[in-house]
Amino acid sequence: MFMRRTLTALLLAVATLLVALPAAGADTPTGGDTSPTGEAVSPPPEAPVDPSAAASPEPPGAPWAEPPTEPWAEPSGGGWTAAPPAFPASFTIRGVDLHDGQIVRFGHTYYMYGSMYGCGFEWYAPPTPWCGFGVSTAPTPRGPWSTPVPLFDPAAVDPWTRASWQDTCGGTAQGCFNPRMIRRTGWGRDDGAFVLWFNSPRHYSLDGSNAYNVMGCASAAGPCGPGAGPDGWYRKPALSFCNGNGDFGIIASGTPGAPPAIVCTQPGAAQLNLEELDGQGSGGHGVGVRKVAGLTDVEGPGGYWDPVWRRYVLTYADTACGYCSGTPIGYATAPSLYTGWSAPGNVGWSAPVSGRRVFDGNSCGGQPRTVTVLDGRPWQIIDLWLGTRNEAAAPTHLVPLSYVPTPGSPGDGRVWRPPLALNC
């Protein structure tokens, strides 16, 4: 009995001491912070360290929201090769006169390509000066961006018409748009050469030729075209599926060693087509698909390969319109670049055909232009148009994309949650 009382007293003393300890150390917590009331707050758990990321060099300059991680990046700006990094925030680039273009990382530098308006270009107000295509560079996608420089002289000869590019793009004010730079790395000749694509609607209106143009470039920052050294050349691409006139994007293949593809809108409200590029990246070679997902009257296409779900994801402005703000954005998916494309349908009397394929009703207040893959993460590029004929001051908005398929089909009575969303 005596031993039992002694043990009970000892346990009570230890309990009293343990209760008193936190109070004594509350003013000097270790390993954490204090709340406004002075209570100890445990530190958040550390994120797991990716050993491969530690060995990857980061580009010079201030880090941005998502530091580059080489295991997910491809030099040609291609699709993911593994799971993407943590989900970053959207951002807007202001004060850079580059539009309807793309942003790509080559090496440790980010390049922003686009149409320039600062010289006074006005769409469909002939005659108008054509300002050409420009490129800016930055250490991170958020900038700071350098002053744009031309990729080639607007006064240079257009080899297809033998007039000048100024005449082709500004004479009738139809413009020239959609500069897209690709690099032959990991596919085709695999020589690291830079190839510029863009469209010139007047070529199509002159004689029905396809509106696309391809130039070899001396570097990622140009110059491009004839006279730009041994890598400077011009070709009117031979195309079987994209043989019309319209917006276009470039989709990198998810198959190692395979070339990228051009995805193009056809004239007017016609279909969306897709065509594989040849080994030089300067044309097609007869492989492609017409009427992608049965889509019509869309523009600003772009896409990427998602290795997690093993699907190609395509986005586009739905429907097409010039310099529009608040344009809906739709999507389509496929297990292969050249087979199996589909977009969600709809049911009901007089139901809008785009009711389920549109995953955002106003595209953050702008117009979708294309998709670019930066450091393993696909981004939707959106032009925040001002609604004027001269769009020199229009900002560019980038929103990260994440594809997470959800079950459901039209008429199943279930809540529909699109697999994509724009977190503006």
Side-chain angles (χ1 to χ4, degrees), residues 13-403:
V14 172
T16 303
L17 179 61
L18 290 175
V19 170
L21 281 176
D27 292 334
T28 57
T30 58
D33 296 326
T34 58
S35 70
T37 61
E39 297 178 348
V41 179
S42 300
E46 293 185 359
V49 176
D50 182 356
S52 62
S56 300
E58 294 184 4
W64 70 301
E66 183 184 32
T69 47
E70 290 290 349
W72 291 290
E74 292 184 4
S76 61
W80 298 345
T81 55
F87 208 73
S90 60
F91 62 97
T92 302
I93 300 172
R94 301 181 183 277
V96 181
D97 183 21
L98 297 173
H99 315 277
D100 63 77
Q102 63 172 167
I103 298 176
V104 188
R105 176 187 168 196
F106 296 122
H108 292 315
T109 302
Y110 294 87
Y111 296 81
M112 183 175 182
Y113 303 93
S115 301
M116 298 188 291
Y117 286 74
C119 71
F121 174 78
E122 292 188 355
W123 192 42
Y124 277 112
T128 187
W130 184 63
C131 311
F133 300 121
V135 57
S136 292
T137 59
T140 77
R142 297 178 183 270
W145 290 97
S146 65
T147 301
V149 297
L151 288 172
F152 60 89
D153 186 354
V157 173
D158 171 359
W160 187 251
T161 65
R162 302 190 182 279
S164 68
W165 286 110
Q166 169 59 49
D167 178 70
T168 296
C169 307
T172 58
Q174 290 175 268
C176 291
F177 304 101
N178 298 282
R180 306 283 184 258
M181 185 73 79
I182 59 176
R183 191 178 191 184
R184 289 197 302 249
T185 300
W187 58 274
R189 292 188 176 182
D190 196 17
D191 55 4
F194 294 93
V195 179
L196 174 70
W197 281 69
F198 62 95
N199 70 331
S200 53
R202 194 177 182 193
H203 284 187
Y204 183 80
S205 64
L206 276 174
D207 58 12
S209 303
N210 75 66
Y212 306 107
N213 306 273
V214 191
M215 289 182 176
C217 303
S219 72
C224 302
D231 293 319
W233 45 264
Y234 169 85
R235 286 190 179 90
K236 171 63 71 175
L239 297 168
S240 302
F241 297 82
C242 289
N243 54 352
N245 166 41
D247 281 351
F248 74 97
I250 301 291
I251 302 179
S253 176
T255 302
I262 174 177
V263 55
C264 57
T265 58
Q266 293 297 289
Q271 73 262 16
L272 187 68
N273 291 353
L274 198 149
E275 184 164 356
E276 185 176 59
L277 300 186
D278 58 22
Q280 188 165 330
S282 62
H285 61 105
V287 176
V289 57
R290 303 183 194 278
K291 300 182 180 180
V292 172
L295 299 171
T296 60
D297 198 22
V298 300
E299 65 180 3
Y304 65 97
W305 166 250
D306 184 331
V308 177
W309 296 100
R310 303 195 64 77
R311 305 288 292 181
Y312 286 94
V313 181
L314 174 71
T315 69
Y316 45 85
D318 191 358
T319 58
C321 58
Y323 293 146
C324 294
S325 61
T327 308
I329 180 172
Y331 79 99
T333 62
S336 164
L337 259 177
Y338 309 108
T339 58
W341 283 101
S342 63
N346 209 348
V347 295
W349 289 269
S350 301
V353 66
S354 61
R356 288 186 176 231
R357 75 189 189 204
V358 166
F359 63 92
D360 190 276
N362 62 27
S363 300
C364 304
Q367 183 178 36
R369 296 307 305 169
T370 193
V371 172
T372 191
V373 178
L374 298 174
D375 306 317
R377 166 70 65 186
W379 294 77
Q380 181 67 53
I381 297 182
I382 298 172
D383 278 323
L384 298 177
W385 297 124
L386 304 176
T388 60
R389 289 189 181 276
N390 183 279
E391 294 281 357
T396 300
H397 192 61
L398 274 77
V399 186
L401 293 172
S402 180
Y403 176 75

